[in-house]
Amino acid sequence: MILDNRGLEPPQPMMRTLAALAKLNPGETLTIINDRRPMFLYEQLDELGYRHETTAREDGSFEIRITKG
């Protein structure tokens, strides 16, 4: 699943992302696209046991692949 959070003001991207993650089954992946690096989200992901990988995109946005452990 891909969730495009570009253009949203904080805390909307984080709230949308956490709501979508709650629906994932173990081993499934959610890809989000944000205007900026989600620094506060990384802390939440680590605490909840999700794996994540961030890639900077050519348009200046960031793609974050999050996998439920």
Side-chain angles (χ1 to χ4, degrees):
M1 174 163 54
I2 297 176
L3 188 61
D4 189 343
N5 290 324
R6 291 176 289 185
L8 299 175
E9 291 296 319
Q12 287 300 315
M14 185 164 164
M15 292 172 56
R16 291 182 73 209
T17 299
L18 292 174
L21 288 173
K23 299 175 185 174
L24 288 184
N25 292 316
E28 291 184 328
T29 298
L30 170 68
T31 300
I32 62 170
I33 303 170
N34 282 15
D35 291 319
R36 56 186 72 82
R37 286 186 187 271
M39 302 310 291
F40 296 112
L41 177 63
Y42 293 142
E43 295 173 16
Q44 290 285 324
L45 296 176
D46 291 340
E47 287 178 16
L48 296 170
Y50 290 93
R51 294 186 313 273
H52 52 89
E53 178 182 330
T54 301
T55 305
R57 295 165 46 114
E58 289 184 18
D59 65 1
S61 64
F62 293 88
E63 180 176 304
I64 302 93
R65 291 181 44 87
I66 306 165
T67 303
K68 188 170 189 172

